[in-house]
Amino acid sequence: MKHAVARLAAHGLGAMLVLPLLLLLILSLTRVWRYPALWPDSWQFDQWRALLAHGSVLLHAALRSLALALAVALAATSAGFLTSRVLARQNCGAQWLALALLPAAIPPVIYALSLGQVYAALGLSGSYGGVLLAQMPFAYAYAVLLCRGYWTRDTLALGALAHALGARPAQVAWRVHGPLARGLLAVCVFQTALISWFDFALVRFIGAGQVETLTLKVFDYLGAGDLRQASAAALLLLAPPCTALLVNPRLLWPALAVRAAP
């Protein structure tokens, strides 16, 4: 009985995840779908041809979003990993950890509205650099939270042992902690990239209409009432993270990533 209930719950969860994607796909391919019809009356592929065409606005927005997300993820993961290492060695690490995690308690909209004038005064408003700097505190706080679990007594002792045997700090980082934390760092890069990839508020306010990302284009199409193009853009927005999770499901589970590290 328990196995049947668990199987039913798993199928229900799978349906909840798949059905919205299926609806988006149908909306992106339909030409006419009038209420109360349960199925579209006709189909078209114009929006997908436009999406895949060379010089497509959506394709360029996707590439810019990907570059921005990777830049934020790599910078935040590097800074978060180093910060978590310092915090693990401090006697008052809890207070410093709370300070490092403070950006996670601030809603992005409030942050953007509060510091929007500062970014404008510094000439960063309306630029990709400004959006990157605005997204960094949130990605950095999440990276610190993810990476802090790596620094246990065992990992610290292993690094100290390698240093005592004559390894330089760079060698300890590259040959000891690098292989051990590889799985966790991959998770951290993926998770912090998602913060930038799906961000709307900071791009909208700090970008000031000059920075076009894929998330912004989805909302633009929705605002214009073009559900077909919005559905195609939404599927394009979901494609990279879904593909990454299909290739490596451990990207969702930092604990599994640490356990699976060599």
Side-chain angles (χ1 to χ4, degrees):
M1 183 65 180
K2 292 182 179 179
H3 293 290
V5 173
R7 191 179 301 109
L8 182 62
H11 288 309
L13 180 60
M16 291 175 60
L17 295 174
V18 172
L19 288 178
L21 298 178
L22 182 60
L23 178 60
L24 286 176
L25 180 61
I26 294 174
L27 285 173
S28 70
L29 295 174
T30 184
R31 181 191 298 273
V32 179
W33 194 356
R34 296 186 180 93
Y35 178 84
L38 296 178
W39 198 251
D41 299 327
S42 59
W43 305 85
Q44 70 175 9
F45 299 90
D46 294 346
Q47 50 264 33
W48 284 103
R49 292 193 188 98
L51 174 64
L52 300 175
H54 180 69
S56 167
V57 174
L58 274 181
L59 194 56
H60 286 173
L63 292 176
R64 286 191 288 264
S65 298
L66 184 61
L68 180 62
L70 288 177
V72 170
L74 292 176
T77 299
S78 301
F81 189 72
L82 294 176
T83 301
S84 65
R85 178 176 178 271
V86 173
L87 292 176
R89 295 183 171 186
Q90 298 293 327
N91 294 328
C92 55
Q95 292 82 353
W96 288 108
L97 177 62
L99 183 62
L101 298 180
L102 182 61
I106 304 174
V109 175
I110 302 301
Y111 176 87
L113 292 175
S114 301
L115 297 181
Q117 295 298 324
V118 176
Y119 278 84
L122 295 175
L124 296 173
S125 181
S127 67
Y128 283 91
V131 174
L132 187 149
L133 290 177
Q135 292 175 346
M136 268 296 296
F138 302 94
Y140 166 74
Y142 196 65
V144 172
L145 184 62
L146 284 178
C147 293
R148 65 187 292 262
Y150 169 77
W151 300 103
T152 63
R153 290 182 178 179
D154 292 338
T155 54
L156 290 172
L158 191 60
L161 177 61
H163 181 70
L165 292 175
R168 294 188 295 272
Q171 291 176 320
V172 174
W174 183 255
R175 295 186 177 274
V176 178
H177 295 304
L180 285 175
R182 183 174 55 189
L184 179 62
L185 291 177
V187 172
C188 191
V189 168
F190 177 74
Q191 298 280 5
T192 51
L194 291 184
I195 293 176
S196 173
W197 180 256
F198 289 120
D199 176 54
F200 172 78
L202 296 174
V203 176
R204 174 66 179 83
F205 291 104
I206 304 300
Q210 303 299 316
V211 176
E212 288 190 348
T213 61
L214 195 53
T215 308
L216 208 61
K217 298 303 293 183
V218 173
F219 281 89
D220 287 345
Y221 288 129
L222 284 175
D226 192 344
L227 291 180
R228 292 173 295 184
Q229 198 72 15
S231 299
L235 287 174
L236 183 61
L237 182 68
L238 292 172
C242 289
T243 302
L245 289 177
L246 288 175
V247 173
N248 187 1
R250 289 192 184 122
L251 292 175
L252 277 180
W253 307 104
L256 290 180
V258 173
R259 291 175 187 172

